Amino acid sequence: MIKIRERNGQEEIVGFVIIVVIVAVVLSVVLGVYIRQEAPITKAESKDVSQFLDSAMEYTSECTNGIGEYFSVEELIRECYYDSKCNGASSCDMLTRTLQEMIDFNWKIGEDKPFKGYMFNASYSSANKEEILLIKKGLCATEKIGAEHLSPATPGAIISILEICS
Amino acid sequence: MKKIKKGQTKIQEMAFVLIAIVIFFSMVALVYFSIRLSSLKGDAETQREQSTKEIIRKLSDIPEFSWADCSGCIDMDKVFVLKGKSSYNNFWALDYLAIEKIYPNRTKSECTNANYPECTTIILINKTGSYGSPTGAFVSLCGYYKEYGGIRCELGKIYASAKEIQ
């Protein structure tokens, strides 16, 4: 009689262990799949990037209009769209150099730094969309923070987008 | 009598198994919710930081600071004049308020009558005591530069701190 009781108890323990093992295996499979899944690219609006972009657009560049007035970065994007010259050189080259310097200086970007890369894109949008300038640096794998700035350029508008990747 | 006892034991065993399963799943749920909650706390912190930056940037639009030609631009001359005004000592309910030029890169120095405008930082309020590290927001710093032959806007940051906005 005692033997039968012991046997029953043992069977129940074995059953419980099996249930626990099955649940653990299922959980680890689910967890494994979840971890292995490539994280989707997420983009969030950032006040910091937005404020930086707005302020950068007002920055006075080294580019003059011929009568001694200096262009702001916002005006320089427009000049780049019209493919005009700046101090004898291409306004787009000057714009690229100014923006790169500004972004590199203010956002710590690099493989071993908090931000892994960035992307700046300016395009003219009217009936169609035309790309004016694209600057890329580093890696943009998963998470991005970004903002956009709109400048009027009749009949359309110039949309500048800055994305900082972490 | 023996049958009843056996049934009771069975019910007891089943109850133990059920309790064990409930404990197991509640532990899993506890881990899941603690992870979710910590990410939620992070989101709330980011949100709070972003609104603080927004409030600080709004300071650039007050008449005492603002540059007439653009929103979010600060007139450096106005700020420098304010630095010496004792009537403004308790105008802002802040413990720290400073404006700093950050791009183009220069050697950091506090602005005085002797070195202005060839300096980087104007500290308007700097109370002693603990008020945490100041929060900064990007702004444009504009002014008339003789050597430049006109108006120039540079990239800067406005820093503020107060016990109330910590």
Side-chain angles (χ1 to χ4, degrees), chain A residues 12 47 60-61 101 105-106, chain B residues 13 54 102-103 140 148 153:
Chain A
E12 275 162 15
K47 279 275 171 289
T60 311
S61 72
E101 267 181 31
F105 187 77
N106 289 290
Chain B
E13 281 167 357
E54 194 62 32
I102 50 169
Y103 182 82
S140 265
Y148 207 69
C153 291

Side-chain angles (χ1 to χ4, degrees), chain B:
Chain B
M1 196 65 173
K2 266 188 180 175
K3 251 188 172 176
I4 293 168
K5 216 176 172 185
K6 206 180 169 188
Q8 276 178 339
T9 319
K10 281 254 180 202
I11 289 167
Q12 223 171 29
E13 281 167 357
M14 208 170 86
F16 280 134
V17 170
L18 282 174
I19 288 167
I21 289 170
V22 167
I23 289 170
F24 176 73
F25 281 108
S26 35
M27 274 167 78
V28 170
L30 208 72
V31 169
Y32 174 77
F33 283 115
S34 64
I35 292 168
R36 289 283 294 176
L37 209 71
S38 68
S39 76
L40 211 67
K41 270 183 189 167
D43 289 349
E45 189 61 37
T46 314
Q47 198 66 40
R48 207 180 66 88
E49 203 183 301
Q50 299 224 347
S51 28
T52 309
K53 278 180 191 287
E54 194 62 32
I55 293 166
I56 290 169
R57 197 174 197 255
K58 282 217 160 66
L59 281 174
S60 65
D61 288 327
I62 62 168
E64 280 82 359
F65 288 171
S66 70
W67 177 260
D69 293 341
C70 65
S71 157
C73 298
I74 289 178
D75 188 331
M76 281 301 270
D77 295 341
K78 276 188 185 179
V79 178
F80 186 67
V81 170
L82 271 184
K83 187 182 154 84
K85 292 252 183 229
S86 56
S87 50
Y88 273 88
N89 279 355
N90 295 312
F91 185 70
W92 294 285
L94 294 168
D95 294 316
Y96 183 83
L97 181 63
I99 283 145
E100 188 182 31
K101 293 177 188 175
I102 50 169
Y103 182 82
N105 191 18
R106 292 186 187 88
T107 317
K108 285 191 179 184
S109 59
E110 200 185 328
C111 295
T112 59
N113 286 331
N115 66 2
Y116 185 80
E118 296 308 315
C119 52
T120 57
T121 317
I122 302 176
I123 300 173
L124 291 168
I125 305 166
N126 192 8
K127 287 183 185 167
T128 49
S130 71
Y131 45 78
S133 56
T135 308
F138 285 103
V139 283
S140 265
L141 305 176
C142 303
Y144 184 85
Y145 290 82
K146 209 189 272 178
E147 72 281 6
Y148 207 69
I151 292 159
R152 184 177 167 80
C153 291
E154 297 182 342
L155 195 64
K157 264 190 168 182
I158 178 165
Y159 293 96
S161 188
K163 280 178 194 128
E164 286 77 15
I165 57 171
Q166 259 188 74

Side-chain angles (χ1 to χ4, degrees), chain A residues 2-166:
Chain A
I2 294 166
K3 265 193 174 173
I4 292 168
R5 244 184 150 179
E6 271 178 8
R7 220 171 147 190
N8 271 349
Q10 277 173 345
E11 277 170 7
E12 275 162 15
I13 288 167
V14 169
F16 180 63
V17 168
I18 288 169
I19 289 170
V20 169
V21 167
I22 289 169
V23 170
V25 167
V26 169
L27 274 179
S28 53
V29 167
V30 169
L31 208 71
V33 170
Y34 182 76
I35 290 169
R36 277 186 192 187
Q37 248 179 8
E38 239 179 67
I41 294 175
T42 53
K43 192 186 159 187
E45 270 283 315
S46 161
K47 279 275 171 289
D48 224 11
V49 182
S50 166
Q51 289 170 354
F52 172 79
L53 193 60
D54 290 345
S55 306
M57 287 295 153
E58 297 298 336
Y59 178 78
T60 311
S61 72
E62 301 299 321
C63 223
T64 53
N65 60 0
I67 54 163
E69 282 176 0
Y70 290 87
F71 287 123
S72 67
V73 167
E74 190 174 30
E75 288 163 338
L76 201 54
I77 295 174
R78 215 167 296 150
E79 292 305 307
C80 173
Y81 176 62
Y82 295 127
D83 206 18
S84 57
K85 296 273 174 206
C86 150
N87 308 344
S90 156
S91 54
C92 292
D93 291 346
M94 180 63 97
L95 176 64
T96 307
R97 203 165 53 240
T98 310
L99 278 169
Q100 268 176 343
E101 267 181 31
M102 229 189 288
I103 299 169
D104 286 340
F105 187 77
N106 289 290
W107 300 89
K108 306 292 168 225
I109 288 163
E111 273 180 31
D112 52 343
K113 287 178 181 155
F115 299 110
K116 309 290 175 217
Y118 68 84
M119 198 265 305
F120 176 86
N121 182 28
S123 55
Y124 177 78
S125 176
S126 179
N128 304 314
K129 206 170 181 180
E130 290 171 65
E131 191 176 280
I132 302 172
L133 185 76
L134 178 69
I135 308 171
K136 267 184 176 180
K137 190 185 173 184
L139 282 170
C140 278
T142 50
E143 275 183 49
K144 289 176 184 177
I145 49 169
E148 62 179 59
H149 179 92
L150 216 70
S151 340
T154 319
I158 291 170
I159 306 164
S160 306
I161 300 167
L162 176 64
E163 288 175 350
I164 308 282
C165 313
S166 49

